[in-house]
Amino acid sequence: MPEPALLTTISGARAYTREVRARGLRVGLVPTMGALHAGHQSLIERAASECDRVAVSVFVNPIQFDSPADLATYPRTLDADTERAAQAGATALFVPSEREMYPDGKPLTLVRVSGLTEVLEGAHRPGHFDGVTTVCAKLFEACEPDRAYFGEKDYQQLRVVSRMAWDLNMAVEIVPCPLIREEDGLALSSRNVRLSDKERRQALSISRGLKAAEAAFQEGERRADALKALAAEPVASAPLAEPDYLELVDAETLETVETAEAPAVLLTAVRMPSARLLDNVILDPTRR
Ligand code: AMP
């Protein structure tokens, strides 16, 4: 397995991908904040199966953090990331410094998607999505990928970035990838390493609740109240888990719905003492 090229500058990333595209080859980009796990790996593998070259960006984007403590304790494991990305099929790692991405500190230009960003995560994390869309726009400019891969784990982010690309006629196809879980159901997240054993055990209540709702949906339950009650119940009996929100929303518009007749997503964010965790299940009557 060849070592992936290590790119640290925007001009270097652009030169790499332009050279690839000039040869008629397709470039896939997998934007990450590092601390790579099997969820990231699945995105990289998907990109490698569909593209000739795969760039994985590793950048802990300061402007999308609303909590300085979260930013300060975000895990950083570049050596292990390089290894994992290479094994999954990455041909280049783009690891810019903060100075490279934001030479003046916070940029004066922000990309904002309105409508999809005021709810759910956006309501709890002011400025978060402006940071996400701005860094994604910058990464797309730097790498000019044909396709960029995003996980359904961060469902709202996926919708927001897809909408940005569509609204701005960006020449990149946004590819959604399924949420990957641990065997016991916990959604993989870089922040999971912060959980104590006790927190981790109680965090399992999140996926347990969502799975119960999903099972009821598959049996024909469509009422939001009933589905939410099933998802909420295990979390309510986990003393360390504090839900921020639990909503059934339309899969496209992210507006809350009373019934899951059209494709919908049941999304939750739960605060544990050491990490805030996101999870969701897609309830699509056509995806049986
Ligand atoms: P992050 O490094 O957390 O910013 O995530 C980078 C990309 O990996 C995003 O598109 C995430 O949605 C995706 N991702 C993170 N965790 C998972 C997971 N458990 N399953 C699938 N994709 C994931």
Side-chain angles (χ1 to χ4, degrees):
M1 171 186 56
E3 276 277 296
L6 180 63
L7 312 167
T8 56
T9 62
I10 291 167
S11 59
R14 194 171 281 144
Y16 174 87
T17 54
R18 282 204 175 160
E19 193 269 330
V20 170
R21 281 161 55 89
R23 288 191 280 138
L25 301 177
R26 266 198 309 203
V27 177
L29 173 69
V30 182
T32 82
M33 298 206 298
L36 300 187
H37 50 62
H40 300 111
Q41 195 177 323
S42 71
L43 270 56
I44 301 169
E45 284 168 357
R46 170 85 178 271
S49 75
E50 296 179 354
C51 303
D52 303 293
R53 298 289 183 274
V54 177
V56 174
S57 61
V58 175
F59 179 62
V60 183
N61 177 35
I63 70 164
Q64 74 182 67
F65 282 78
D66 51 306
S67 150
D70 187 27
L71 176 60
T73 57
Y74 200 84
R76 293 165 204 247
T77 58
L78 189 57
D79 289 344
D81 290 350
T82 308
E83 176 93 19
R84 198 185 262 275
Q87 269 168 11
T91 56
L93 250 70
F94 178 38
V95 190
S97 64
E98 274 186 35
R99 207 182 149 74
E100 179 69 10
M101 291 296 273
Y102 303 116
D104 272 355
K106 202 171 170 173
L108 298 183
T109 306
L110 293 175
V111 181
R112 168 170 302 164
V113 176
S114 56
L116 299 174
T117 57
E118 293 84 358
V119 295
L120 305 166
E121 282 301 281
H124 286 84
R125 303 185 65 189
H128 168 67
F129 283 117
D130 292 354
V132 169
T133 38
T134 301
V135 81
C136 286
K138 286 172 71 75
L139 291 170
F140 295 167
E141 271 296 306
C143 300
E144 300 178 333
D146 296 280
R147 293 182 175 184
Y149 295 80
F150 288 84
E152 289 175 342
K153 156 78 174 20
D154 300 283
Y155 190 85
Q156 188 176 11
Q157 169 175 283
L158 165 67
R159 288 294 312 124
V160 167
V161 171
S162 300
R163 183 67 200 217
M164 169 187 76
W166 188 76
D167 275 338
L168 298 181
N169 311 111
M170 289 177 163
V172 56
E173 183 187 341
I174 306 298
V175 183
C177 301
L179 191 164
I180 305 296
R181 300 179 179 281
E182 302 270 15
E183 239 162 58
D184 59 11
L186 185 67
L188 281 163
S189 160
S190 301
R191 291 182 178 88
N192 289 351
V193 295
R194 290 193 205 146
L195 300 172
S196 67
D197 289 349
K198 193 170 173 193
E199 285 176 66
R200 198 189 174 289
R201 272 196 304 279
Q202 295 196 19
L204 291 177
S205 61
I206 305 167
S207 53
R208 211 177 305 131
L210 291 173
K211 287 285 159 196
E214 187 181 38
F217 173 80
Q218 278 158 358
E219 294 299 313
E221 181 60 79
R222 294 289 182 269
R223 293 166 303 157
D225 286 352
L227 295 165
K228 284 182 358 184
L230 284 166
E233 203 261 339
V235 178
S237 25
L240 296 177
E242 277 294 321
D244 264 352
Y245 59 82
L246 170 66
E247 295 287 353
L248 184 72
V249 302
D250 181 90
E252 182 88 10
T253 64
L254 304 183
E255 282 164 12
T256 52
V257 291
E258 293 302 315
T259 59
E261 293 300 346
V265 190
L266 187 56
L267 295 134
T268 190
V270 175
R271 271 178 290 121
M272 305 299 294
S274 314
R276 189 167 168 282
L277 304 177
L278 302 188
D279 203 344
N280 70 74
V281 283
I282 298 176
L283 303 178
D284 183 346
T286 63
R287 259 206 218 181
R288 279 220 141 212

